[in-house]
Amino acid sequence: MTTFSRQELVEVIRRTVAPGHEQVELSTVISARWRGRGTPPPRAPSRWILVALCLGFSLVTFGNTIVTVGLSQMQLQLGIGPGLASWIVDSYLLACTALLLTGGALADRWGARRVYQIGAGLVAMGSVLCAVADSGGLLIAGRVLQGVGAAAIVPGSLSLLKANCQDGRRRARAIVIWATAGSTAAVAGMVFSGVLVAAFGWRSLFWANLVSALGTLILAGRFLRETLTVHNRLNLLSQTVFLAALTAFVAGVIQAGAVPHSAAGPVLIAVGVLLAAAFIAVERRYPNPALQLSLLRHPEARATAVVAFVVNFGFYGQLFLLAGYLQRIEGFSPWQTSVMITVEAAGAVFGSRCGGWIARRSSNSTAMLTGLLMIAGALLTMAAGVWSHALWLVAGASFFVGLGLDAAIASATADLLRVAAAGHAGAAAALLTMARQIGSVLGVAVLGAAAAGPSASGFFRALIIAALGCAGAAYLVRQARKPDPVAGSATRTQPPESTGAQ
């Protein structure tokens, strides 16, 4: 097979550039990675390409919920308190959230397949570390490693899908299958984790995760084609400040919940807020910001980002507490707990269809409002069930929490992409993803601190807070829908170009 050096490829392209455009700095844009073993067999079956990408994405979604059912058993066997238990969930979400932008930049710079494989390798190593952990600290270290790997897997998935599925129709179908794989993995993972914990203990969760990570590595190396790379500049300063801000704030919230009278919690929260302000200042001055925060100038975009944050805040926060409540207070087995949680995940599977149906007959804003009010009402109903120990009420309400979640998120995504100016769709998607991830991290930390341990009264209090958050987001969406007194409804339908400008 003929191979080209980077210099040779640049020279070939330079000779074919249209007259008058020779000044383009091709050496800063193109870098060839099509060498020997980096190129798969030319007739690689497309179904195996899709399996490799879906398995990796499922690995990430499964990592979000892998410890939910087994957390109570981990606490009992390793002697972990409520504060440290929050870190077992949040350490993964925090690492994934804070490094997601870095993972995307590295995928562009090094090649999506290489970063994808590195991510799968890190998840595999983190899974081994968690499986053999004999203390809470070692378990958290493994979860951090898994989160770093997830941050490398997610950005490269769609790039690899585009590079490996050249036909437009087949690519569209592949994207639908890829997206569905994440939701399916979340539902199947709930049931599967309950069976594993009941039969083999909580360590089996991570051994199963190791098998999936190794399968992803093997399939990616065998069937995926590498992408072209871009020599972009890494915005390390803003991403480091963002990581420090989020870590300090989450640590402060968890500390404040675990030790209410300690000054460490408020101090860390204050440090996190100051670093968040520093992050915004750095982003405004940087020519290529990690996040297009200027999108938030438009009221609808601002409301949509808040919806994404609040929905994940409530969903992941109550999911974290629900498993502990069922096992520690109601005496459920891991298997029974997984069945109860699966009801909620099943609702999420139908949520996007529900939101799409409402949006087609009315608008995305109406679908968001419906989803938010559905979640708020379901959380209040669930709180009533917890207070009265009516588990049938908790189970029924949890289905509508999941249903409202996907209805609101699907509509929020469509609405933010509509509001974003031309050329800013990617920036809008990144902003929405980051809002969701931050909501997940803070939901576990804040609602876990509000509950102050596994108790019916604590879970009731956390559910009320989550419901109020959804009601507040619904109010913002309603306010954003009001017609502009000058421009009228036309302004809402066609937002000005400057809303997405830097």
Side-chain angles (χ1 to χ4, degrees):
M1 180 180 294
T2 303
T3 60
F4 297 94
S5 69
R6 178 175 176 274
Q7 290 78 13
E8 288 171 334
L9 183 64
V10 170
E11 183 60 26
V12 169
I13 297 175
R14 180 177 281 113
R15 289 178 182 178
T16 60
V17 173
H21 292 81
E22 294 86 349
Q23 73 277 14
V24 176
E25 296 182 7
L26 294 173
S27 61
T28 65
V29 178
I30 302 297
S31 176
R33 302 292 185 194
W34 307 96
R35 299 171 181 242
R37 62 180 182 178
T39 306
R43 295 182 182 274
S46 59
R47 63 180 178 275
W48 287 111
I49 291 172
L50 197 54
V51 168
L53 293 172
C54 288
L55 188 60
F57 188 52
S58 299
L59 196 65
V60 174
T61 56
F62 188 53
N64 268 336
T65 54
I66 191 174
V67 299
T68 304
V69 175
L71 188 59
S72 293
Q73 198 177 97
M74 294 174 200
Q75 288 182 263
L76 292 173
Q77 292 186 10
L78 299 179
I80 297 171
L84 207 59
S86 297
W87 276 116
I88 294 173
V89 178
D90 254 349
S91 55
Y92 175 89
L93 292 170
L94 184 61
C96 183
T97 302
L99 298 175
L100 201 59
L101 297 173
T102 305
L106 291 178
D108 290 339
R109 189 178 180 86
W110 292 350
R113 190 186 75 159
R114 178 183 294 186
V115 173
Y116 190 78
Q117 289 178 295
I118 290 172
L122 290 173
V123 171
M125 289 189 287
S127 298
V128 172
L129 195 59
C130 289
V132 301
D134 58 358
S135 66
L138 198 59
L139 183 59
I140 290 170
R143 290 288 287 165
V144 169
L145 204 55
Q146 286 184 320
V148 174
I153 289 174
V154 172
S157 295
L158 281 174
S159 296
L160 286 166
L161 228 170
K162 181 179 180 181
N164 288 272
C165 299
Q166 301 296 331
D167 181 70
R169 291 180 62 186
R170 297 180 76 178
R171 185 191 305 159
R173 181 171 175 268
I175 290 174
V176 172
I177 296 172
W178 174 83
T180 305
S183 300
T184 305
V187 177
M190 293 294 185
V191 180
F192 187 56
S193 60
V195 173
L196 284 177
V197 173
F200 306 107
W202 64 267
R203 296 182 191 275
S204 61
L205 295 172
F206 298 106
W207 291 124
N209 211 46
L210 172 64
V211 173
S212 298
L214 292 177
T216 302
L217 265 175
I218 294 168
L219 291 174
R222 178 69 180 86
F223 296 113
L224 296 182
R225 179 186 293 114
E226 184 58 285
T227 59
L228 290 175
T229 58
V230 180
H231 282 277
N232 53 0
R233 291 184 61 189
L234 295 177
N235 188 355
L236 293 178
L237 177 59
S238 63
Q239 292 173 22
T240 302
V241 174
F242 176 72
L243 172 61
L246 194 56
T247 303
F249 191 87
V250 170
V253 171
I254 293 175
Q255 179 67 18
V259 189
H261 302 294
S262 171
V267 169
L268 285 170
I269 292 173
V271 170
V273 171
L274 290 175
L275 287 173
F279 169 74
I280 294 172
V282 170
E283 285 287 276
R284 285 179 175 174
R285 287 174 172 79
Y286 201 80
N288 297 308
L291 283 177
Q292 293 283 356
L293 296 176
S294 58
L295 287 169
L296 297 179
R297 294 171 187 165
H298 194 285
E300 283 188 85
R302 192 162 53 245
T304 302
V306 171
V307 168
F309 171 87
V310 167
V311 164
N312 272 44
F313 176 92
F315 180 77
Y316 278 98
Q318 62 82 33
L319 189 66
F320 164 69
L321 294 171
L322 178 60
Y325 166 78
L326 291 174
Q327 293 183 58
R328 303 286 288 275
I329 305 301
E330 299 295 343
F332 273 40
S333 68
W335 161 248
Q336 290 172 316
T337 303
S338 69
V339 171
M340 177 74 85
I341 293 175
T342 301
V343 173
E344 190 163 321
V349 172
F350 297 101
S352 56
R353 294 183 181 181
C354 176
W357 184 84
I358 296 172
R360 285 192 299 272
R361 283 156 180 77
S362 182
S363 66
N364 288 321
S365 296
T366 302
M368 271 193 292
L369 272 172
T370 304
L372 287 166
L373 293 175
M374 190 183 298
I375 298 171
L379 289 172
L380 291 174
T381 304
M382 189 183 289
V386 168
W387 188 261
S388 60
H389 294 274
L391 294 181
W392 63 271
L393 202 57
V394 174
S398 66
F399 176 84
F400 289 98
V401 170
L403 189 69
L405 165 79
D406 256 31
I409 287 298
S411 306
T413 303
D415 207 46
L416 187 59
L417 292 177
R418 177 185 64 81
V419 169
H424 287 274
L431 183 64
L432 191 72
T433 301
M434 193 57 62
R436 292 189 65 185
Q437 291 291 99
I438 294 173
S440 303
V441 174
L442 294 183
V444 173
V446 173
L447 296 186
S455 66
S457 60
F459 190 26
F460 175 85
R461 186 164 53 246
L463 289 171
I464 296 299
I465 294 171
L468 290 176
C470 289
Y475 175 76
L476 283 179
V477 172
R478 183 70 185 85
Q479 289 297 108
R481 290 178 61 188
K482 289 184 177 180
D484 188 282
V486 177
S489 60
T491 304
R492 293 197 321 271
T493 306
Q494 297 180 346
E497 290 290 321
S498 60
T499 57
Q502 176 57 25

